[in-house]
Amino acid sequence: IVTTPGIRLILGGTAMDAVATPLVGVIPSSITGAYRYIKEGIADWRLGMCVGLGGGAMSVAGALVATELGGEVVMLGTALVLILSAAQTFATIYQEGKKGHAQSVGESAQGETGASDVLVATPHTRTNYIKAMGIGAFAGLYAGFFGLGGGVIIVPALNRFLKMNYKQAIGTSLLSISIISVPALAMHAYLGNVNWVLAVGLVLGVVPGAWLGAKITVGASERATSIGFALLLIAMGLWLGVSEMLGLR
């Protein structure tokens, strides 16, 4: 979410640099973050693997399409997807707030963090595995096309279709992203889209950043996590979209 606008707007990279190069940092950062969530028991590794395996082949297709259309088109599409994902997240927060308000005082006082922070395991049914594979296929196409790993697709989808709360969805998505990003990066590298100089700097910075980010999120409330996620999405989307349309870099 941060590296694509950062490469394009701050470091002055080309549009294709901003699409492909973040995947180099996505892999170690997602592995680091996933380990932290799994260790804390806030990730479903089985469903995460299903999402990742479902998205692998589609990520290669996404990389091919992105290269054909050109980086500028991808940047504008990235901005739109970030803003739409933020809107969906805010809508979910609003709906959960209405449900919470409708509960009795006794039910809503189950704990200081609220009932939405309670981790409820998603059943490992055949239907849910199929849903996970479908989420992965769409996220893989997205990851290869936009070079963002697929988290902005996977997290809201896990929340909506598999009923995970946002902490569980973020933790599970990190494992999926680490799988999906490998074939996407391989194809972009083959096509010559990766700026390896920028990639080295990303790798050096993302691992400690991912560890710190996971630590903060694990300790935060469910509401704070979801609101923070949505605000980051909309801020990056608006910045990138406006800058691309005005030609500001």
Side-chain angles (χ1 to χ4, degrees):
I1 297 172
V2 175
T3 50
T4 294
I7 290 173
R8 181 64 166 155
L9 302 173
I10 299 174
L11 300 180
T14 67
M16 286 311 299
D17 285 345
V19 172
T21 306
L23 290 168
V24 180
V26 164
I27 296 171
S29 66
S30 59
I31 292 173
T32 302
Y35 172 77
R36 175 75 187 192
Y37 278 93
I38 292 171
K39 183 179 178 181
E40 296 290 338
I42 315 177
D44 189 320
W45 67 267
R46 290 182 180 86
L47 290 173
M49 290 286 290
C50 282
V51 174
L53 294 174
M58 294 302 292
S59 70
V60 173
L64 290 169
V65 174
T67 303
E68 183 67 24
L69 292 179
E72 288 75 14
V73 174
V74 178
M75 288 296 98
L76 289 173
T78 299
L80 179 61
V81 168
L82 291 175
I83 293 170
L84 291 176
S85 297
Q88 173 63 45
T89 302
F90 277 124
T92 301
I93 294 168
Y94 175 73
Q95 290 299 324
E96 290 180 351
K98 287 179 65 178
K99 290 178 182 178
H101 182 71
Q103 292 177 340
S104 68
V105 174
E107 291 175 337
S108 64
Q110 293 178 15
E112 292 182 2
T113 57
S116 62
D117 283 330
V118 177
L119 301 181
V120 179
T122 301
H124 292 162
T125 63
R126 180 179 297 180
T127 299
N128 283 339
Y129 282 132
I130 292 173
K131 287 181 180 179
M133 294 285 285
I135 292 169
F138 188 67
L141 184 63
Y142 169 91
F145 186 81
F146 293 109
L148 289 175
V152 297
I153 298 296
I154 298 171
V155 172
L158 291 177
N159 174 260
R160 180 170 183 177
F161 298 111
L162 295 180
K163 308 306 179 185
M164 293 185 186
N165 71 25
Y166 269 90
K167 280 188 181 181
Q168 291 170 303
I170 290 172
T172 303
S173 75
L174 288 170
L175 176 59
S176 307
I177 290 166
S178 66
I179 299 170
I180 290 172
S181 298
V182 173
L185 174 61
M187 179 53 67
H188 275 297
Y190 173 76
L191 295 171
N193 296 334
V194 179
N195 185 322
W196 292 105
V197 175
L198 293 176
V200 171
L202 285 178
V203 171
L204 293 176
V206 295
V207 173
W211 183 265
L212 178 61
K215 184 176 181 179
I216 292 171
T217 304
V218 165
S221 70
E222 168 67 8
R223 183 174 177 80
T225 301
S226 55
I227 290 175
F229 180 73
L231 289 175
L232 181 61
L233 288 177
I234 199 165
M236 291 296 99
L238 288 173
W239 186 17
L240 181 60
V242 172
S243 297
E244 283 296 319
M245 287 188 289
L246 297 179
L248 300 176
R249 296 200 295 274

